Every structure is written in structure tokens, then in C-alpha cells.
Amino acid sequence: MSNNKDSNKSKIEEFADFSSMGRSSRGRGTRGLKGPKPKNMKGTLKRLWEYFQNERKLLVILFICVIIYSLVTLLVPYIIGKSIDSMSKGKDNVDFSYLKVTIISLIIAYIINGVLTIIQGLIMAKVSQSIVKNLRKTLFEKLQKLPLAFFDSNSHGDIMSRLTNDIDNISSVIAQSTTELMSGTITILGSIIMMIILSIPLTLGTLIIVPLIFLLTKSITRKTRVLFKEQQIILGKLNGHIEESISGINIVKAFNHEEKSIYEFEKINKDLYNVGVKAQIRSGFLMPMMNVINNIGFTMVALIGGILATKDIITLGVIASFLSYSRQFSRPLNDLANIFNSLQSGVAGAERVFNILDEEEETLDSKGAEALINPKGEVEFSNVTFGYGEDSVIFNNISFYAKPGSSTAIVGPTGAGKTTIVNLLTRFYEINKGEILIDGKNIKSYTRDSLRKTFGIVLQDTYLFSGTIKENIKYGSLNATDEEVYRAAKMANAHRFISHLKDGYETVLTESGANLSQGQRQLIAIARAILSNPSILILDEATSSVDTRTELQIQDAMVKLMGGRTTFIIAHRLSTIRNANNIMLIDKGIIKESGSHEELIAKRGEYYNMYFNQFKGLVEY
């Protein structure tokens, strides 16, 4: 339930002002995703490693395969070197049987490596997808536990970007990097050992490239890390713009803002392009520079090896083996540097995901909280003070009482805090001071789940989920029978129009029920509330967006729904609340007037002026 009606621009104003893209279309302010400061790569990778723990068995198998693969790879240059030495003694001294064994050994080695490569790919695909599945599940579950304030303060498109693009980025990095990190580390260590065994002088010549590679990698990745993170942030803004533009396409077209929407899209898209190009160019410098350094190392080995060979210190076979090992040594260094570079994008996505995971959840139920069973519907606000922040106090010490089965209407200008009362009552927001009581007990003494089951809510902007009409009505009670669904629809005056649809109750709704009229969606929402059988009913501008005929149908359905239930009615059309037991006029967080319609008219105060001005058409609240 959003409270943008109380404290923000109208929907029309928001879509008319696209300069605020990147902020939620329902947002209250610019709080943004604060969370902790961006973590360094080590900290983020450590958190990612926690998700690897669930795949220990597969990782052990993968590690064994990588070890075998690396050992076979390390053995090949040694065999080739021995073969060259056996032939360098002259054609009369060539051991052809040894060469035959060598060739067969090499063929077997390559076959083993080929099979192991396939196995590693299969295992890594399963591991990466499993990790990403768990991460996506954790993130989605987290979103369900976050308070409404989080969604009011953040772009929905940016949140979606973290759930999709950022996690996909992590998946790609895991799939591509894990095996290479394992095999590269083993190959580097193995190559160094074999090179030391073959020739210490040549080994020292090869190791010259290590500090050069380290400095190059550190220099480039320090800059690309910032760029990749900025790229993910701008991508989130772009998704936010797209989400707002598509969901509000009717308003965009109504106000002829297509060109403005395109302009804003192109502006963000250009920013994304510029950052992406910089990130790719800078990261693209790495491999050419690495090749230059590797060629320098290769030249050093050839030069020193040639000198040692002329002095009969080493053989041609040793040089051949050493050149292969130097390649095996430098190639993983290149790969690891490249992996480290590509990790920047994955780490940037992971940081954005972890920022949400670090957000503060809804407060837990208090210790000893009990379920609210068979509520009577008695509601009391006692000296309640509430504000969205220190500088934004909405209510200051307000109190009122609603007896069971009564109807309370809440009226007042936009931004007065009408919907906020409902948000506090349902614990979508927590009050700063005072108490809210239901049936004489503080609502914090009840479990949040049982508290919210007490309420039935019908909003001005009805939201219907993709699915059938029957499924949307049953959202109020998932275990309801078809007969109960039909009965609720009849009480809501929805059965007739549903029966005239081609597929009746099995009619599939598009997103938000766009293939139905506003009035039809509202009647389905009322049927959903009837089926949930609430003790306390909240009607938030439930008839403000429909025609007069449909309004009469909705009002008739609401009268049936309100029977015997404590009801809170938020209304701008004052004619719809004349029969309420109590009418509260709220302005600037204060209950200025309270009483029945007749009592307030007799006082000739603000309600009196609002009521008659509205009928004169002078002012509409």
C-alpha cells in the first residue's frame, strides 16, 4: 500500500516530469539504497564464497578434475623435451620405440584433457546456476521482508535490475572464472617447480615478468572497478526509466511526452554507452600489454637458453620443455589477470545485490507476540506521533477511537496524512511515539501476520496479478472453494460481468488487469476483500476513478462488505461518506474536526466549507 497520495506529486505530475528518472515512480524521497559503503573485492568475494559452500561435493569433484588436468598438462612439455633430446643425438641413435610410446602418451594425455574439459564445463554450469539460483532466491526473499518504506524510496526498475542483470553478471563471472582460477593456480605452481628442476637460471629469467604483470593488472583494474560499478548503477537507472515509461505509457501519450521520454532514454543510454566504452577500452588494454610482457619473457628464455646450450650446460630438449613451461606459466598469469579484470563487473553487481541484502528488514514480532484471533474490530489511536524522518513529522500526538462495527471516514487535503493512518494501522510503518490498539491491546503485541489478516483492503489503484479472474479473487483466501468465490463475486456485483466474458472466471488477465475496465477491476478487488472475510475494512478512494453508474454498483457492494465490520473510508468525494458514523477532517497532521456529517455541517467549520464548495464546483479536495 503506497502513501504517495499523501506526500508526493500526483501520478500525472510524476510522468510529466522525467527529470527525476532513477527515482521510484512511487517514491517519497531520494533516500536511495544506502546500505554500507561499497565493499572491496576481497570482502565481496568472501561473501560470495559463502554461496559456494552449498556446492562442496561438486567443487571437490571439480578440484580433482582440475588437478588431474593440470598434472597431465604439466607432463606434456617434459615428454616432448625428452623426445627432442632422444632425436638430437643423430639419426642412428634415435630410439623409435621410445618415440612411439611418447606419441601414444601424448595422444592419451590430450584425450584425457579433452574429457576432463567437458566434465569441468558440465560441473561448473551446474555449480554456477545453483549458486545464482540460491542468490536470486535469497534476494527475492529479502525483498519480501523489507518494509514498505524501502519500495517507496527506491526505483522499482533499479531493484529489478539488481534481481536480473546484476545476478546474471555474477553468474557469468562464476561460470567463466572458477575453473580458470583453480587450474591457473595449479599450473603456475607446477610450472615453476618444473622450471626450477630443469634450469634455475632460465627460471629466474622467466620470473622477471611477474612483477610487471602484477603492476599492470593492479593499475588497470583499479580504474575499471570504478567504471564497472558506475556502469551497473546507470543500467539500473535505465531500467527504472523503462519501467516507468512502459507502466505509465497512457500518461506519456496523453501529455505528448513521447519525445521527452525518448530524450531522457537517450541521455541515460548515452551515459551507459560512454561508461561502457571506457570500461571496455581500459580493460581491453590488459591483454595486448600482457602479450608484450610475455614476449619479453619468452625472448629472455630463448636468449639465456641459447647461451647455456652453446656451453653444453643444458640440452635442446630442456630448452624446448622450458619454452613450453614458460608459456604454461605466463598463459595462466594472463588468464588470471584477465579474470581479475572481468571480476570487476561481477563484483560491482554483487555489491549492489549485497546492498539490498544488508537493508534493514521489517522489525521482528516482539517476544511473546500472540496471534490475533477472532478480532472484534475495536481500534484506538492513543497519542500517536509519526514522521518519515526527523524533518518530516506527519502526525503529532493524535488520538481517536473506533468502536467495533463502526465506520470512520477520513477526509482532508492531499498530503494531510489520510493514507498514513492506514499504513500505521497495518504496521507498514512503525510509529515513533504513542500506541495503536486493537481490541484493547497494542498492535505490537500481535504477530504481524495475524494482524494483517484482520484487514481487508480496497485501494483506489487496484492491482490485479497476471492469472485468471478466479485466481485473483482467491488471493483473498487461497483455500476458498469455487462456490465461495462465486458467492463473493455476487456480493461484489461482479458475477454478472464476469459471466458475460468469453471464459468467465477462467479469463486470463494481462498485467494489472489491463484488459478490464477500472470499475471491473475495482469490483474484483471488492470480491477479493469479501472472500478474505476481514474484521476491519479499509476503503482507500475506492470509487474515485469510475463513472457514476459503476460507482453505484461499487457503493452497493461496499455496503454489503461493510456490514458488521469496522470500516475506515478515505474519500475525496464527500457525498460518499455522509452515512459514516464518524468523520475526521485531518490537515497538517492534526484532527481538526470530528463528528457525524450532520454534526459537522451544523458547526459550519472547515468540513462545512469543503462539503458545499465541492458541490458548488469551486474546490475539489
Side-chain angles (χ1 to χ4, degrees), residues 269-456:
N269 197 32
K270 185 177 180 180
D271 290 341
L272 183 61
Y273 165 80
N274 290 334
V275 173
V277 167
K278 289 179 182 178
Q280 294 301 324
I281 289 177
R282 288 184 183 276
S283 63
F285 282 147
L286 186 62
M287 290 312 296
M289 297 294 288
M290 292 286 287
N291 288 333
V292 171
I293 294 173
N294 289 332
N295 288 332
I296 292 173
F298 192 79
T299 303
M300 293 293 294
V301 170
L303 179 62
I304 297 172
I307 295 172
L308 295 177
T310 57
K311 297 181 178 181
D312 293 328
I313 297 175
I314 59 174
T315 64
L316 291 177
V318 169
I319 295 176
S321 295
F322 204 95
L323 289 173
S324 295
Y325 282 123
S326 66
R327 284 295 189 189
Q328 285 191 1
F329 173 74
S330 60
R331 189 186 69 247
L333 281 178
N334 289 0
D335 292 341
L336 291 178
N338 197 39
I339 289 170
F340 192 72
N341 191 38
S342 66
L343 274 176
Q344 309 306 309
S345 178
V347 168
E351 286 179 343
R352 283 164 48 81
V353 170
F354 290 142
N355 279 349
I356 292 185
L357 294 180
D358 291 335
E359 282 283 329
E360 186 176 348
E361 299 179 3
E362 279 190 321
T363 56
L364 297 174
D365 292 331
S366 59
K367 190 174 182 180
E370 58 186 37
L372 178 54
I373 302 174
N374 298 324
K376 300 174 184 176
E378 181 184 29
V379 176
E380 181 180 0
F381 272 53
S382 177
N383 302 315
V384 171
T385 297
F386 170 75
Y388 295 113
E390 295 180 0
D391 301 326
S392 178
V393 176
I394 306 299
F395 295 123
N396 189 8
N397 203 37
I398 69 165
S399 299
F400 65 86
Y401 174 78
K403 65 182 181 179
S406 65
S407 57
T408 301
I410 306 172
V411 300
T414 299
K418 301 184 297 294
T419 302
T420 302
I421 287 180
V422 174
N423 287 336
L424 297 179
L425 189 58
T426 52
R427 287 193 71 188
F428 288 149
Y429 289 91
E430 299 290 353
I431 62 176
N432 302 123
K433 295 179 183 178
E435 280 188 314
I436 300 177
L437 309 158
I438 291 182
D439 293 351
K441 290 186 178 182
N442 193 314
I443 58 175
K444 293 182 180 180
S445 67
Y446 299 120
T447 60
R448 186 179 274 107
D449 180 61
S450 67
L451 174 69
R452 290 178 179 168
K453 284 181 180 178
T454 303
F455 297 96

